[in-house]
Amino acid sequence: MECIFCKIINKERPSEIVYRDEKILAFKDTEPKAPVHILIIPQKHIPSVDYLGKEDRELIGELCLVARKLAKEYKISGTGYRLVFNVGKDAGQTIDHLHLHLLGGKKLPWA
Ligand code: AMP
Ligand code: ZN
């Protein structure tokens, strides 16, 4: 399995993990675009939002709940934050393992 995020899940690659449960993992982005930049991923390998099935409904909801919890922990709930799923080439998706970006800690530029 060549997927870099699967390697992080399997501890074959180092990362700064900030949350883990049986289905989800969250770790710091190595090239942060904001003071808080965390990636929240399912442990199940799904290439992108475009590959989600109905059976993933609950999982995708849980990613958002973990994002909300981490936003509280990192004290950006009050000032606001952005959640992003990049999907495919035009959105600039570079890693084909579904990930939710949690960004905050500064006024975020838009497009
Ligand atoms: P995307 O462009 O939406 O596919 O986002 C991929 C993100 O993964 C980028 O923000 C990268 O900085 C980040 N990234 C790449 N490799 C790693 C890694 N080994 N650990 C943590 N973040 C990474
Ligand atoms: Zn993967």
Side-chain angles (χ1 to χ4, degrees), residues 19 64-74 77 81 102:
Y19 179 87
C64 286
L65 289 173
V66 169
R68 176 178 180 269
K69 173 184 153 62
L70 289 170
K72 278 209 168 97
E73 252 178 65
Y74 283 82
S77 292
Y81 52 92
L102 166 62

Side-chain angles (χ1 to χ4, degrees), residues 48 86-94:
S48 79
N86 287 323
V87 184
K89 195 159 56 70
D90 279 358
Q93 184 180 359
T94 55

Side-chain angles (χ1 to χ4, degrees), residues 1-7 9 41-47 95-98:
M1 169 62 83
E2 278 309 299
C3 173
I4 188 178
F5 284 179
C6 281
K7 284 188 174 154
I9 291 162
I41 70 171
Q43 297 204 23
K44 173 184 172 187
H45 181 90
I46 302 170
I95 297 190
D96 292 334
H97 183 127
L98 190 145

Side-chain angles (χ1 to χ4, degrees), residues 37-80:
H37 189 174
I38 293 169
L39 300 173
I40 302 148
I41 70 171
Q43 297 204 23
K44 173 184 172 187
H45 181 90
I46 302 170
S48 79
V49 166
D50 209 39
Y51 290 78
L52 284 172
K54 281 218 169 113
E55 69 280 10
D56 300 315
R57 258 185 180 142
E58 207 175 301
L59 183 61
I60 212 76
E62 281 170 20
L63 292 178
C64 286
L65 289 173
V66 169
R68 176 178 180 269
K69 173 184 153 62
L70 289 170
K72 278 209 168 97
E73 252 178 65
Y74 283 82
K75 306 197 187 318
I76 54 171
S77 292
T79 44

Side-chain angles (χ1 to χ4, degrees), residues 4-5 8 13 27-31 33 37 39 86 92-95 99 101:
I4 188 178
F5 284 179
I8 287 175
R13 233 193 123 97
F27 50 94
K28 292 199 178 166
D29 196 295
T30 44
E31 287 175 53
K33 317 300 185 285
H37 189 174
L39 300 173
N86 287 323
Q93 184 180 359
T94 55
I95 297 190
H99 46 283
H101 294 261

